[in-house]
Amino acid sequence: MITGPPTKTTTSSKSSVDLACEAIGYAPINYLWTFNGHPIDVENDSRMILSSTGTLLIDGTMTADTGTYTCFASNPYGQTSVSGFLEVEGPPTQPPCPWISRISQ
């Protein structure tokens, strides 16, 4: 059995977010996370931390982190997975500067 992140999580950019994933079964349980179908390399991405209980911490979120995250949990007896969508909202955009369209006398 596996429990995972909510179906959809929304956060702001430059924040931290925890995506929980907990599997119940015989040890050892191994966890692997993917982002939009591609494995997340937690060993070489300092913003991504995988806890021993399966939770993925993303530090310093960016709008490029928006997408589908899938947690795979496996042990010698099988594998299961659960997915959730993370939406990272960017900073508000600055309104355009004023401009002169016509000068009259």
Side-chain angles (χ1 to χ4, degrees), residues 27-85:
I29 297 175
N30 298 304
Y31 294 95
L32 170 74
W33 280 87
T34 63
F35 171 64
N36 292 334
H38 302 284
I40 296 174
D41 186 1
V42 295
E43 298 295 323
N44 294 309
D45 189 339
S46 61
R47 295 184 320 110
M48 308 279 183
I49 300 167
L50 177 61
S51 76
S52 60
T53 59
T55 296
L56 179 67
L57 168 69
I58 305 172
D59 191 31
T61 56
M62 302 182 287
T63 55
D65 294 324
T66 295
T68 301
Y69 288 80
T70 302
C71 174
F72 293 89
S74 63
N75 68 11
Y77 303 100
Q79 175 178 295
T80 189
S81 65
V82 65
S83 296
F85 187 82

